[in-house]
């Protein structure tokens, strides 16, 4: 018999647990923190312009007092750029430190489930070339931490890619494919004409053979009539 304070699970409890398990199977969702900087691993920008470094996070557990920070490193140095927190889903990021407020700005929003903590770097310099890492720590997930890195290349000007060779190759390939299709269509048309011609010849031969048999039958019948003996 159960001891004092022990509660036997009710049918509703078992049902709720079962439905929750089914929901996780049918609608899989990551319970751990995830951070993404987009599909592009490298961004190329022109010196003197502004560039957006994207970063979003996601978690099915929700978050409270989420901690985020951006770091920069290249072959010469490593430094923290910006550090901040987000109280909850209804709050905007709060910046605790910024190494260069005149050139680094928050560009994301957490409200409406955007979970965006991107930054904007103003007036790019060649020294800004390097790797930028977006790091996030969520106390609600036992301080689970995740990060994602994006590389920035700063150039004097964007080089226009010459696609002439590519266009020529695609044109030649397209022309060959088109020619092959035309040849196949012509082949099918000729095959169709030959088949119809053969069918007509066969039909003519059948009709001619039938006519010959009819004429031979009529001639034989007349011969029999002439050969009938007199009484």
């Amino acid at each position: 018999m159960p001891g004092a304070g022990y509660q036997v699970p009710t049918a509703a409890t078992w049902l709720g647990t079962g439905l929750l398990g089914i929901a996780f199977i049918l609608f899989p969702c990551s319970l751990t923190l995830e951070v993404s900087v987009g599909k592009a691993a490298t961004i190329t920008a022109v010196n003197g312009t502004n560039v957006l470094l994207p970063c979003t996070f996601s978690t099915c557990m929700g978050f409270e007092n989420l901690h985020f920070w951006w770091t920069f490193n290249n072959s010469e140095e490593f430094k923290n750029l910006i550090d901040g927190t987000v109280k909850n889903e209804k709050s905007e990021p709060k910046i605790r430190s910024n190494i260069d407020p005149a050139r680094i700005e928050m560009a994301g929003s957490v409200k409406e489930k955007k979970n965006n903590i991107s930054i904007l770097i103003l007036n790019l310099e060649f020294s800004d070339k390097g790797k930028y890492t977006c790091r996030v720590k969520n106390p609600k997930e036992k301080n689970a931490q995740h990060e994602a890195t994006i590389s920035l290349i700063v150039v004097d000007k964007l080089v226009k890619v010459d696609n002439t060779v590519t266009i020529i190759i695609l044109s030649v390939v397209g022309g060959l494919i088109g020619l092959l299709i035309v040849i196949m269509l012509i082949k099918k048309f000729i095959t169709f004409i030959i088949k119809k011609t053969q069918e007509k010849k066969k039909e003519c031969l059948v009709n001619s053979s039938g006519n010959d048999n009819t004429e031979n039958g009529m001639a034989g019948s007349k011969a029999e009539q002439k050969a009938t003996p007199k009484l």
Side-chain angles (χ1 to χ4, degrees), residues 107-120:
S109 174
V110 176
K111 290 183 178 180
E112 299 179 359
K113 298 183 178 180
K114 292 181 179 179
N115 295 353
N116 190 328
I117 48 176
S118 304
I119 60 174
L120 182 68

Side-chain angles (χ1 to χ4, degrees), residues 14-215:
W14 287 113
L15 179 61
T17 304
L19 291 176
L20 182 61
I22 294 173
F24 279 117
I25 294 174
L26 296 179
F27 306 101
C29 180
S30 173
L31 296 178
T32 58
L33 181 68
E34 293 186 357
V35 179
S36 172
V37 290
K39 296 180 179 180
T42 302
I43 294 179
T44 302
V46 178
N47 180 43
T49 63
N50 305 333
V51 64
L52 176 70
L53 300 181
C55 181
T56 58
F57 65 89
S58 62
T59 173
C60 289
M61 298 293 290
F63 62 89
E64 290 180 359
N65 298 318
L66 181 135
H67 178 209
F68 70 91
W69 66 104
W70 279 85
T71 61
F72 166 81
N73 72 291
N74 56 21
S75 58
E76 298 178 355
E77 61 178 337
F78 175 90
K79 57 185 178 182
N80 289 324
L81 298 179
I82 194 167
D83 186 292
T85 59
V86 184
K87 186 176 182 181
N88 51 47
E89 289 88 346
K90 297 180 180 180
S91 304
E92 290 293 2
K94 183 179 180 181
I95 305 303
R96 298 192 301 188
S97 64
N98 187 339
I99 192 172
D100 191 354
R103 296 188 59 233
I104 303 176
E105 298 179 355
M106 285 298 304
S109 174
V110 176
K111 290 183 178 180
E112 299 179 359
K113 298 183 178 180
K114 292 181 179 179
N115 295 353
N116 190 328
I117 48 176
S118 304
I119 60 174
L120 182 68
I121 300 181
L122 307 176
N123 193 21
L124 276 179
E125 300 174 358
F126 289 109
S127 58
D128 293 325
K129 176 183 178 181
K131 295 182 178 180
Y132 293 78
T133 302
C134 177
R135 309 173 190 268
V136 179
K137 181 187 290 186
N138 187 13
K140 197 171 183 179
E141 294 184 58
K142 297 181 180 180
N143 284 325
Q145 182 175 325
H146 198 265
E147 62 187 47
T149 300
I150 189 168
S151 297
L152 174 64
I153 299 176
V154 183
V155 296
D156 186 39
K157 62 180 180 178
L158 293 177
V159 178
K160 186 177 180 180
V161 179
D162 188 1
N163 295 322
T164 304
V165 176
T166 303
I167 294 174
I168 292 174
I169 293 174
L170 291 176
S171 299
V172 171
V173 172
L176 291 175
I177 293 174
L179 180 61
L180 181 61
I181 293 174
V182 170
I183 292 173
M184 291 176 65
L185 290 175
I186 292 175
K187 182 180 178 181
K188 285 189 175 183
F189 179 73
I190 293 174
T191 303
F192 175 77
I193 296 298
I194 293 174
K195 184 178 179 181
K196 287 295 183 181
T197 303
Q198 290 176 346
E199 288 178 354
K200 286 184 178 181
K201 286 182 178 181
K202 186 177 180 181
E203 184 179 352
C204 289
L205 289 174
V206 171
N207 292 335
S208 177
S209 177
N211 292 334
D212 291 342
N213 291 335
T214 302
E215 291 177 357

